Each structure stands twice: as structure tokens, then as C-alpha cells.
Amino acid sequence: MTNPNADPMADLLATLTLTDTGARTAEDIFTAPSQWTAHGRVFGGQVLAQSLIAAQHTVGGERPAHSMHGYFLRPGDTSKPITFSVDRIHDGRSFSTRRTQAYQDGLPILSMIASFQAVGPGLDHQIDIPAGLPSPEELPSVAELIGHIDHPVAQNWAHQRPFDIRHVGSPIYLSSDPNPVEYQAIWMKSIGPLPDDPDLHRAAMAYASDYSLLEPIFRRHSVVWVTPGLKSASLDHAMWWHRPGRADEWMLYVQESPSAQGGRGLATGRIYSQAGILLASVAQEGMVRVPVH
């Protein structure tokens, strides 16, 4: 477990630095630490990013990741390190496929398949970035919104996360939107510079993409993070990288929820650079349970 009082950026980089154990069976084996969280469960974005990096280590930089699909199987324990096994499923002329399993105490906590492609020319189009939104500099930070609250989760979110997150419109930390909608947009970037490693930036985007993607589901039903008895958890996570980008520069994360039913909700997102380049698309289904009174 990494130090909760450590510099958030140094902590992020340490967490995303995997150790090659040198062990070889039919798979490649890596290990990495877990980050501290106030509730003691491993942050899903952390294990997603680590699993992607583990897979990338077996492919090489000439074939960057273009997609991943992962399932969260069990809650992770922040007091224990994580072991990653990578199965080199296939290497073709243009694409490579890897399966990464993340383990604690011999049990899988996440299973992910990722695909990697040699860069080449092709058709090119994108959905344009939404117009008329305020710039991130015009919006309050999480620290400004909830940093005064004497609660470990509030303090963790306000001061110990390696990403600056700013909601376009009112956030739903403490109060609901007066007009329930199933969409939102946030600006986000790492709070400090990252090395000039495109693979690391893709992993950092995956890390940050898990912070707020269930919130459009909450918004549609006037649910806030402090709703008594609220239980939520990511069930799966898919991501597609379209174009190179930097996670240490402002990105606009446009999110919406097309459906919620049966204690589950689906949310999708698009991540743009501040210049309007579509960098990635994301989809996630989550468990969302709210007490019925």
C-alpha cells in the first residue's frame, strides 16, 4: 500500500511502475503496489491502468493499445500488492491481443482483454466537441468544493487524488441537480506533468476515466454521493483510444447514461483534448442501489 500522505503525482507514477518478476510459465508475471483509499478498496481505475501497462510490456511501443474490455470480479484490498499475469493470446500482422488477470491472495480481482495495433493510415472522422462550455479555469476544483469537509473520503478526493476534476455545472457531491438529466461534462487533467511516454498517457486516461462515469446515472435520479445507503460499484469497463493525447493537459470528458434498470446502469463517455480532438471513448456498466423508503 502506498503512503496516503505521499505526493499524489509521485504516488501515481509509483503505482503505474510495474515490476517484472522474471517468472515465466505460459504467462508473463508482474507485480505492483495498491494505492491507499479512504474506504480500503482498490480504485478501479488504478487496476485498469496497471493491467493495461502489464499487457503493453509484452507488446512493445510499436503497437499501442487501441481498446480494452475489463470486468471487475472482486473488490481489491489496498493493504496488499497486486500480481498481474499476461497471456500473449495472439500476434498478427497488424494486431496483438493480450489477456491480463489481476490477482490478490491467488484470486482474480479483474480480468481484461486488450488489443494493440501497428499505427497506419486510414479513414478519419470524429464527433465534434460540444461548443459553448466554460473553460476549466472558470470552474472550481474539488478542493474548493469539498476540501473543508472533515471526512476521510472528502479529504481524499479533495487533496490526495492525482487528477484535477472540474464539473461543468453543479457537481453532485452534496446536492442534486435541480433539473435531473442523464448527462454531464467534466474537465480533468493530472495535477502535475507526466513523462513523455504515450503508453503511460493512455494508461493515465484509463485511470481517470473511472472517477465519474457513474455520475450521469446518479444525476438522472437525483442521487448524490452522500445519499444514505447508496451502494455503487463498477462492473465492467471498456475503452477505445482513437488518437494520441496527453493526460497532463486539460481533457473534456462528456458523459451520458442511456439506461438504468435492475440495480444496474450503463454510462458512456467521450474524452476530448482542449483543442477538440477526440482522444478516446469509454463505456461502463455499474451496480447502483438506492434504498427504497
Side-chain angles (χ1 to χ4, degrees), residues 18-49:
L18 276 60
T19 299
D20 186 340
T21 67
R24 294 291 184 276
T25 55
E27 301 174 333
D28 299 80
I29 308 298
F30 304 88
T31 60
S34 298
Q35 288 181 303
W36 180 88
T37 64
H39 47 59
R41 297 189 303 275
V42 171
F43 171 51
Q46 173 211 301
V47 70
L48 279 170

PDB file of all heavy atoms in Angstrom, residues 18-49:
ATOM      1  N   LEU A  18       5.345  -1.039 -12.883  1.00  0.00           N
ATOM      2  CA  LEU A  18       5.217  -2.459 -12.563  1.00  0.00           C
ATOM      3  C   LEU A  18       6.583  -3.126 -12.495  1.00  0.00           C
ATOM      4  O   LEU A  18       7.515  -2.731 -13.202  1.00  0.00           O
ATOM      5  CB  LEU A  18       4.340  -3.166 -13.596  1.00  0.00           C
ATOM      6  CG  LEU A  18       2.824  -3.096 -13.371  1.00  0.00           C
ATOM      7  CD1 LEU A  18       2.312  -1.671 -13.366  1.00  0.00           C
ATOM      8  CD2 LEU A  18       2.092  -3.931 -14.408  1.00  0.00           C
ATOM      9  N   THR A  19       6.690  -4.128 -11.656  1.00  0.00           N
ATOM     10  CA  THR A  19       7.918  -4.907 -11.522  1.00  0.00           C
ATOM     11  C   THR A  19       7.779  -6.210 -12.280  1.00  0.00           C
ATOM     12  O   THR A  19       6.822  -6.968 -12.052  1.00  0.00           O
ATOM     13  CB  THR A  19       8.218  -5.205 -10.040  1.00  0.00           C
ATOM     14  OG1 THR A  19       8.384  -3.971  -9.338  1.00  0.00           O
ATOM     15  CG2 THR A  19       9.471  -6.050  -9.900  1.00  0.00           C
ATOM     16  N   ASP A  20       8.703  -6.457 -13.192  1.00  0.00           N
ATOM     17  CA  ASP A  20       8.737  -7.735 -13.902  1.00  0.00           C
ATOM     18  C   ASP A  20       9.408  -8.750 -12.981  1.00  0.00           C
ATOM     19  O   ASP A  20      10.586  -8.618 -12.648  1.00  0.00           O
ATOM     20  CB  ASP A  20       9.528  -7.585 -15.203  1.00  0.00           C
ATOM     21  CG  ASP A  20       9.486  -8.834 -16.076  1.00  0.00           C
ATOM     22  OD1 ASP A  20       9.184  -9.927 -15.550  1.00  0.00           O
ATOM     23  OD2 ASP A  20       9.768  -8.719 -17.280  1.00  0.00           O
ATOM     24  N   THR A  21       8.665  -9.741 -12.545  1.00  0.00           N
ATOM     25  CA  THR A  21       9.203 -10.718 -11.587  1.00  0.00           C
ATOM     26  C   THR A  21      10.222 -11.650 -12.214  1.00  0.00           C
ATOM     27  O   THR A  21      10.963 -12.325 -11.502  1.00  0.00           O
ATOM     28  CB  THR A  21       8.064 -11.564 -10.994  1.00  0.00           C
ATOM     29  OG1 THR A  21       7.489 -12.381 -12.025  1.00  0.00           O
ATOM     30  CG2 THR A  21       6.995 -10.670 -10.378  1.00  0.00           C
ATOM     31  N   GLY A  22      10.242 -11.711 -13.547  1.00  0.00           N
ATOM     32  CA  GLY A  22      11.128 -12.652 -14.208  1.00  0.00           C
ATOM     33  C   GLY A  22      10.558 -14.047 -14.294  1.00  0.00           C
ATOM     34  O   GLY A  22      11.114 -14.919 -14.963  1.00  0.00           O
ATOM     35  N   ALA A  23       9.432 -14.272 -13.616  1.00  0.00           N
ATOM     36  CA  ALA A  23       8.796 -15.587 -13.650  1.00  0.00           C
ATOM     37  C   ALA A  23       8.141 -15.796 -15.005  1.00  0.00           C
ATOM     38  O   ALA A  23       7.524 -14.894 -15.561  1.00  0.00           O
ATOM     39  CB  ALA A  23       7.759 -15.704 -12.545  1.00  0.00           C
ATOM     40  N   ARG A  24       8.273 -16.993 -15.547  1.00  0.00           N
ATOM     41  CA  ARG A  24       7.646 -17.324 -16.819  1.00  0.00           C
ATOM     42  C   ARG A  24       7.047 -18.720 -16.726  1.00  0.00           C
ATOM     43  O   ARG A  24       7.738 -19.696 -16.443  1.00  0.00           O
ATOM     44  CB  ARG A  24       8.663 -17.294 -17.973  1.00  0.00           C
ATOM     45  CG  ARG A  24       9.227 -15.922 -18.278  1.00  0.00           C
ATOM     46  CD  ARG A  24       8.179 -15.009 -18.871  1.00  0.00           C
ATOM     47  NE  ARG A  24       8.748 -13.721 -19.254  1.00  0.00           N
ATOM     48  CZ  ARG A  24       8.915 -12.697 -18.425  1.00  0.00           C
ATOM     49  NH1 ARG A  24       8.567 -12.837 -17.142  1.00  0.00           N
ATOM     50  NH2 ARG A  24       9.414 -11.559 -18.844  1.00  0.00           N
ATOM     51  N   THR A  25       5.747 -18.793 -16.946  1.00  0.00           N
ATOM     52  CA  THR A  25       5.107 -20.088 -17.148  1.00  0.00           C
ATOM     53  C   THR A  25       4.612 -20.011 -18.585  1.00  0.00           C
ATOM     54  O   THR A  25       5.400 -19.866 -19.501  1.00  0.00           O
ATOM     55  CB  THR A  25       3.963 -20.285 -16.137  1.00  0.00           C
ATOM     56  OG1 THR A  25       3.054 -19.179 -16.231  1.00  0.00           O
ATOM     57  CG2 THR A  25       4.497 -20.346 -14.721  1.00  0.00           C
ATOM     58  N   ALA A  26       3.326 -20.080 -18.774  1.00  0.00           N
ATOM     59  CA  ALA A  26       2.780 -19.770 -20.082  1.00  0.00           C
ATOM     60  C   ALA A  26       2.465 -18.284 -20.165  1.00  0.00           C
ATOM     61  O   ALA A  26       2.020 -17.803 -21.207  1.00  0.00           O
ATOM     62  CB  ALA A  26       1.524 -20.603 -20.324  1.00  0.00           C
ATOM     63  N   GLU A  27       2.704 -17.540 -19.066  1.00  0.00           N
ATOM     64  CA  GLU A  27       2.330 -16.137 -18.997  1.00  0.00           C
ATOM     65  C   GLU A  27       3.479 -15.299 -18.445  1.00  0.00           C
ATOM     66  O   GLU A  27       4.407 -15.826 -17.829  1.00  0.00           O
ATOM     67  CB  GLU A  27       1.081 -15.978 -18.116  1.00  0.00           C
ATOM     68  CG  GLU A  27      -0.125 -16.761 -18.633  1.00  0.00           C
ATOM     69  CD  GLU A  27      -1.296 -16.705 -17.673  1.00  0.00           C
ATOM     70  OE1 GLU A  27      -1.062 -16.539 -16.464  1.00  0.00           O
ATOM     71  OE2 GLU A  27      -2.447 -16.820 -18.130  1.00  0.00           O
ATOM     72  N   ASP A  28       3.388 -13.995 -18.656  1.00  0.00           N
ATOM     73  CA  ASP A  28       4.333 -13.045 -18.072  1.00  0.00           C
ATOM     74  C   ASP A  28       3.742 -12.546 -16.758  1.00  0.00           C
ATOM     75  O   ASP A  28       2.542 -12.245 -16.673  1.00  0.00           O
ATOM     76  CB  ASP A  28       4.536 -11.866 -19.016  1.00  0.00           C
ATOM     77  CG  ASP A  28       5.110 -12.287 -20.355  1.00  0.00           C
ATOM     78  OD1 ASP A  28       4.331 -12.768 -21.207  1.00  0.00           O
ATOM     79  OD2 ASP A  28       6.315 -12.116 -20.556  1.00  0.00           O
ATOM     80  N   ILE A  29       4.589 -12.428 -15.720  1.00  0.00           N
ATOM     81  CA  ILE A  29       4.109 -12.081 -14.381  1.00  0.00           C
ATOM     82  C   ILE A  29       4.727 -10.759 -13.935  1.00  0.00           C
ATOM     83  O   ILE A  29       5.949 -10.567 -14.007  1.00  0.00           O
ATOM     84  CB  ILE A  29       4.451 -13.177 -13.355  1.00  0.00           C
ATOM     85  CG1 ILE A  29       3.988 -14.550 -13.853  1.00  0.00           C
ATOM     86  CG2 ILE A  29       3.829 -12.843 -12.006  1.00  0.00           C
ATOM     87  CD1 ILE A  29       2.487 -14.670 -14.053  1.00  0.00           C
ATOM     88  N   PHE A  30       3.867  -9.845 -13.460  1.00  0.00           N
ATOM     89  CA  PHE A  30       4.291  -8.543 -12.950  1.00  0.00           C
ATOM     90  C   PHE A  30       3.630  -8.300 -11.595  1.00  0.00           C
ATOM     91  O   PHE A  30       2.598  -8.900 -11.279  1.00  0.00           O
ATOM     92  CB  PHE A  30       3.875  -7.416 -13.918  1.00  0.00           C
ATOM     93  CG  PHE A  30       4.376  -7.582 -15.320  1.00  0.00           C
ATOM     94  CD1 PHE A  30       3.640  -8.295 -16.257  1.00  0.00           C
ATOM     95  CD2 PHE A  30       5.587  -7.023 -15.701  1.00  0.00           C
ATOM     96  CE1 PHE A  30       4.093  -8.446 -17.554  1.00  0.00           C
ATOM     97  CE2 PHE A  30       6.056  -7.171 -17.005  1.00  0.00           C
ATOM     98  CZ  PHE A  30       5.307  -7.883 -17.934  1.00  0.00           C
ATOM     99  N   THR A  31       4.223  -7.422 -10.818  1.00  0.00           N
ATOM    100  CA  THR A  31       3.620  -7.020  -9.555  1.00  0.00           C
ATOM    101  C   THR A  31       3.622  -5.500  -9.454  1.00  0.00           C
ATOM    102  O   THR A  31       4.437  -4.821 -10.093  1.00  0.00           O
ATOM    103  CB  THR A  31       4.360  -7.603  -8.335  1.00  0.00           C
ATOM    104  OG1 THR A  31       5.719  -7.136  -8.343  1.00  0.00           O
ATOM    105  CG2 THR A  31       4.337  -9.126  -8.349  1.00  0.00           C
ATOM    106  N   ALA A  32       2.716  -4.969  -8.636  1.00  0.00           N
ATOM    107  CA  ALA A  32       2.634  -3.518  -8.432  1.00  0.00           C
ATOM    108  C   ALA A  32       1.930  -3.256  -7.117  1.00  0.00           C
ATOM    109  O   ALA A  32       1.154  -4.091  -6.628  1.00  0.00           O
ATOM    110  CB  ALA A  32       1.888  -2.846  -9.583  1.00  0.00           C
ATOM    111  N   PRO A  33       2.162  -2.084  -6.507  1.00  0.00           N
ATOM    112  CA  PRO A  33       1.504  -1.750  -5.245  1.00  0.00           C
ATOM    113  C   PRO A  33       0.071  -1.298  -5.468  1.00  0.00           C
ATOM    114  O   PRO A  33      -0.358  -1.012  -6.591  1.00  0.00           O
ATOM    115  CB  PRO A  33       2.355  -0.595  -4.703  1.00  0.00           C
ATOM    116  CG  PRO A  33       2.879   0.071  -5.942  1.00  0.00           C
ATOM    117  CD  PRO A  33       3.121  -1.039  -6.936  1.00  0.00           C
ATOM    118  N   SER A  34      -0.680  -1.215  -4.382  1.00  0.00           N
ATOM    119  CA  SER A  34      -2.020  -0.633  -4.387  1.00  0.00           C
ATOM    120  C   SER A  34      -1.955   0.747  -3.755  1.00  0.00           C
ATOM    121  O   SER A  34      -1.162   0.998  -2.858  1.00  0.00           O
ATOM    122  CB  SER A  34      -2.996  -1.513  -3.598  1.00  0.00           C
ATOM    123  OG  SER A  34      -3.122  -2.793  -4.166  1.00  0.00           O
ATOM    124  N   GLN A  35      -2.794   1.637  -4.217  1.00  0.00           N
ATOM    125  CA  GLN A  35      -2.887   2.966  -3.631  1.00  0.00           C
ATOM    126  C   GLN A  35      -3.854   2.966  -2.455  1.00  0.00           C
ATOM    127  O   GLN A  35      -4.871   2.277  -2.459  1.00  0.00           O
ATOM    128  CB  GLN A  35      -3.379   3.981  -4.670  1.00  0.00           C
ATOM    129  CG  GLN A  35      -2.372   4.337  -5.725  1.00  0.00           C
ATOM    130  CD  GLN A  35      -2.944   5.363  -6.684  1.00  0.00           C
ATOM    131  OE1 GLN A  35      -3.971   5.143  -7.296  1.00  0.00           O
ATOM    132  NE2 GLN A  35      -2.277   6.500  -6.818  1.00  0.00           N
ATOM    133  N   TRP A  36      -3.543   3.805  -1.479  1.00  0.00           N
ATOM    134  CA  TRP A  36      -4.444   3.976  -0.336  1.00  0.00           C
ATOM    135  C   TRP A  36      -5.730   4.655  -0.787  1.00  0.00           C
ATOM    136  O   TRP A  36      -5.717   5.567  -1.623  1.00  0.00           O
ATOM    137  CB  TRP A  36      -3.767   4.834   0.729  1.00  0.00           C
ATOM    138  CG  TRP A  36      -4.610   5.064   1.950  1.00  0.00           C
ATOM    139  CD1 TRP A  36      -4.677   4.280   3.057  1.00  0.00           C
ATOM    140  CD2 TRP A  36      -5.496   6.168   2.181  1.00  0.00           C
ATOM    141  NE1 TRP A  36      -5.561   4.815   3.970  1.00  0.00           N
ATOM    142  CE2 TRP A  36      -6.077   5.971   3.452  1.00  0.00           C
ATOM    143  CE3 TRP A  36      -5.858   7.295   1.433  1.00  0.00           C
ATOM    144  CZ2 TRP A  36      -7.002   6.857   4.005  1.00  0.00           C
ATOM    145  CZ3 TRP A  36      -6.786   8.179   1.962  1.00  0.00           C
ATOM    146  CH2 TRP A  36      -7.343   7.962   3.237  1.00  0.00           C
ATOM    147  N   THR A  37      -6.862   4.190  -0.265  1.00  0.00           N
ATOM    148  CA  THR A  37      -8.134   4.891  -0.421  1.00  0.00           C
ATOM    149  C   THR A  37      -8.813   4.930   0.937  1.00  0.00           C
ATOM    150  O   THR A  37      -8.546   4.093   1.810  1.00  0.00           O
ATOM    151  CB  THR A  37      -9.075   4.205  -1.427  1.00  0.00           C
ATOM    152  OG1 THR A  37      -9.438   2.910  -0.931  1.00  0.00           O
ATOM    153  CG2 THR A  37      -8.433   4.061  -2.799  1.00  0.00           C
ATOM    154  N   ALA A  38      -9.724   5.880   1.116  1.00  0.00           N
ATOM    155  CA  ALA A  38     -10.363   6.062   2.419  1.00  0.00           C
ATOM    156  C   ALA A  38     -11.235   4.879   2.807  1.00  0.00           C
ATOM    157  O   ALA A  38     -11.416   4.595   3.991  1.00  0.00           O
ATOM    158  CB  ALA A  38     -11.192   7.346   2.406  1.00  0.00           C
ATOM    159  N   HIS A  39     -11.786   4.173   1.814  1.00  0.00           N
ATOM    160  CA  HIS A  39     -12.678   3.044   2.129  1.00  0.00           C
ATOM    161  C   HIS A  39     -11.970   1.697   2.064  1.00  0.00           C
ATOM    162  O   HIS A  39     -12.595   0.668   2.286  1.00  0.00           O
ATOM    163  CB  HIS A  39     -13.904   3.046   1.219  1.00  0.00           C
ATOM    164  CG  HIS A  39     -13.583   3.245  -0.244  1.00  0.00           C
ATOM    165  ND1 HIS A  39     -12.767   2.405  -0.960  1.00  0.00           N
ATOM    166  CD2 HIS A  39     -13.963   4.214  -1.101  1.00  0.00           C
ATOM    167  CE1 HIS A  39     -12.669   2.827  -2.206  1.00  0.00           C
ATOM    168  NE2 HIS A  39     -13.374   3.934  -2.311  1.00  0.00           N
ATOM    169  N   GLY A  40     -10.676   1.679   1.755  1.00  0.00           N
ATOM    170  CA  GLY A  40      -9.903   0.447   1.806  1.00  0.00           C
ATOM    171  C   GLY A  40     -10.028  -0.451   0.598  1.00  0.00           C
ATOM    172  O   GLY A  40      -9.422  -1.525   0.560  1.00  0.00           O
ATOM    173  N   ARG A  41     -10.802  -0.051  -0.422  1.00  0.00           N
ATOM    174  CA  ARG A  41     -10.950  -0.844  -1.639  1.00  0.00           C
ATOM    175  C   ARG A  41     -10.122  -0.228  -2.760  1.00  0.00           C
ATOM    176  O   ARG A  41     -10.067   1.001  -2.904  1.00  0.00           O
ATOM    177  CB  ARG A  41     -12.420  -0.927  -2.069  1.00  0.00           C
ATOM    178  CG  ARG A  41     -13.316  -1.631  -1.070  1.00  0.00           C
ATOM    179  CD  ARG A  41     -14.710  -1.868  -1.649  1.00  0.00           C
ATOM    180  NE  ARG A  41     -15.360  -0.643  -2.088  1.00  0.00           N
ATOM    181  CZ  ARG A  41     -16.046   0.169  -1.289  1.00  0.00           C
ATOM    182  NH1 ARG A  41     -16.148  -0.115   0.010  1.00  0.00           N
ATOM    183  NH2 ARG A  41     -16.618   1.257  -1.771  1.00  0.00           N
ATOM    184  N   VAL A  42      -9.495  -1.086  -3.539  1.00  0.00           N
ATOM    185  CA  VAL A  42      -8.666  -0.612  -4.648  1.00  0.00           C
ATOM    186  C   VAL A  42      -9.534   0.160  -5.642  1.00  0.00           C
ATOM    187  O   VAL A  42     -10.618  -0.292  -6.029  1.00  0.00           O
ATOM    188  CB  VAL A  42      -7.974  -1.798  -5.342  1.00  0.00           C
ATOM    189  CG1 VAL A  42      -7.286  -1.336  -6.631  1.00  0.00           C
ATOM    190  CG2 VAL A  42      -6.955  -2.450  -4.411  1.00  0.00           C
ATOM    191  N   PHE A  43      -9.074   1.334  -6.042  1.00  0.00           N
ATOM    192  CA  PHE A  43      -9.759   2.136  -7.043  1.00  0.00           C
ATOM    193  C   PHE A  43      -9.720   1.408  -8.381  1.00  0.00           C
ATOM    194  O   PHE A  43      -8.663   0.976  -8.840  1.00  0.00           O
ATOM    195  CB  PHE A  43      -9.082   3.506  -7.137  1.00  0.00           C
ATOM    196  CG  PHE A  43      -9.543   4.358  -8.280  1.00  0.00           C
ATOM    197  CD1 PHE A  43     -10.897   4.596  -8.504  1.00  0.00           C
ATOM    198  CD2 PHE A  43      -8.620   4.945  -9.137  1.00  0.00           C
ATOM    199  CE1 PHE A  43     -11.323   5.387  -9.558  1.00  0.00           C
ATOM    200  CE2 PHE A  43      -9.034   5.746 -10.191  1.00  0.00           C
ATOM    201  CZ  PHE A  43     -10.388   5.960 -10.405  1.00  0.00           C
ATOM    202  N   GLY A  44     -10.890   1.274  -9.023  1.00  0.00           N
ATOM    203  CA  GLY A  44     -10.965   0.513 -10.258  1.00  0.00           C
ATOM    204  C   GLY A  44     -10.070   1.056 -11.349  1.00  0.00           C
ATOM    205  O   GLY A  44      -9.447   0.295 -12.100  1.00  0.00           O
ATOM    206  N   GLY A  45      -9.995   2.391 -11.465  1.00  0.00           N
ATOM    207  CA  GLY A  45      -9.141   2.977 -12.487  1.00  0.00           C
ATOM    208  C   GLY A  45      -7.678   2.607 -12.311  1.00  0.00           C
ATOM    209  O   GLY A  45      -6.935   2.467 -13.288  1.00  0.00           O
ATOM    210  N   GLN A  46      -7.262   2.422 -11.060  1.00  0.00           N
ATOM    211  CA  GLN A  46      -5.879   2.036 -10.794  1.00  0.00           C
ATOM    212  C   GLN A  46      -5.566   0.667 -11.389  1.00  0.00           C
ATOM    213  O   GLN A  46      -4.588   0.499 -12.124  1.00  0.00           O
ATOM    214  CB  GLN A  46      -5.617   2.001  -9.287  1.00  0.00           C
ATOM    215  CG  GLN A  46      -4.251   1.432  -8.923  1.00  0.00           C
ATOM    216  CD  GLN A  46      -4.223   0.713  -7.582  1.00  0.00           C
ATOM    217  OE1 GLN A  46      -4.533   1.315  -6.569  1.00  0.00           O
ATOM    218  NE2 GLN A  46      -3.864  -0.571  -7.580  1.00  0.00           N
ATOM    219  N   VAL A  47      -6.399  -0.333 -11.094  1.00  0.00           N
ATOM    220  CA  VAL A  47      -6.110  -1.693 -11.547  1.00  0.00           C
ATOM    221  C   VAL A  47      -6.315  -1.821 -13.056  1.00  0.00           C
ATOM    222  O   VAL A  47      -5.634  -2.603 -13.719  1.00  0.00           O
ATOM    223  CB  VAL A  47      -6.927  -2.726 -10.747  1.00  0.00           C
ATOM    224  CG1 VAL A  47      -8.393  -2.675 -11.070  1.00  0.00           C
ATOM    225  CG2 VAL A  47      -6.382  -4.135 -10.933  1.00  0.00           C
ATOM    226  N   LEU A  48      -7.217  -1.012 -13.638  1.00  0.00           N
ATOM    227  CA  LEU A  48      -7.355  -0.976 -15.091  1.00  0.00           C
ATOM    228  C   LEU A  48      -6.058  -0.490 -15.735  1.00  0.00           C
ATOM    229  O   LEU A  48      -5.549  -1.099 -16.687  1.00  0.00           O
ATOM    230  CB  LEU A  48      -8.495  -0.038 -15.488  1.00  0.00           C
ATOM    231  CG  LEU A  48      -9.921  -0.535 -15.416  1.00  0.00           C
ATOM    232  CD1 LEU A  48     -10.875   0.626 -15.616  1.00  0.00           C
ATOM    233  CD2 LEU A  48     -10.182  -1.617 -16.453  1.00  0.00           C
ATOM    234  N   ALA A  49      -5.549   0.638 -15.243  1.00  0.00           N
ATOM    235  CA  ALA A  49      -4.329   1.214 -15.812  1.00  0.00           C
ATOM    236  C   ALA A  49      -3.146   0.268 -15.649  1.00  0.00           C
ATOM    237  O   ALA A  49      -2.345   0.092 -16.576  1.00  0.00           O
ATOM    238  CB  ALA A  49      -4.041   2.559 -15.149  1.00  0.00           C
TER     239      ALA A  49
END
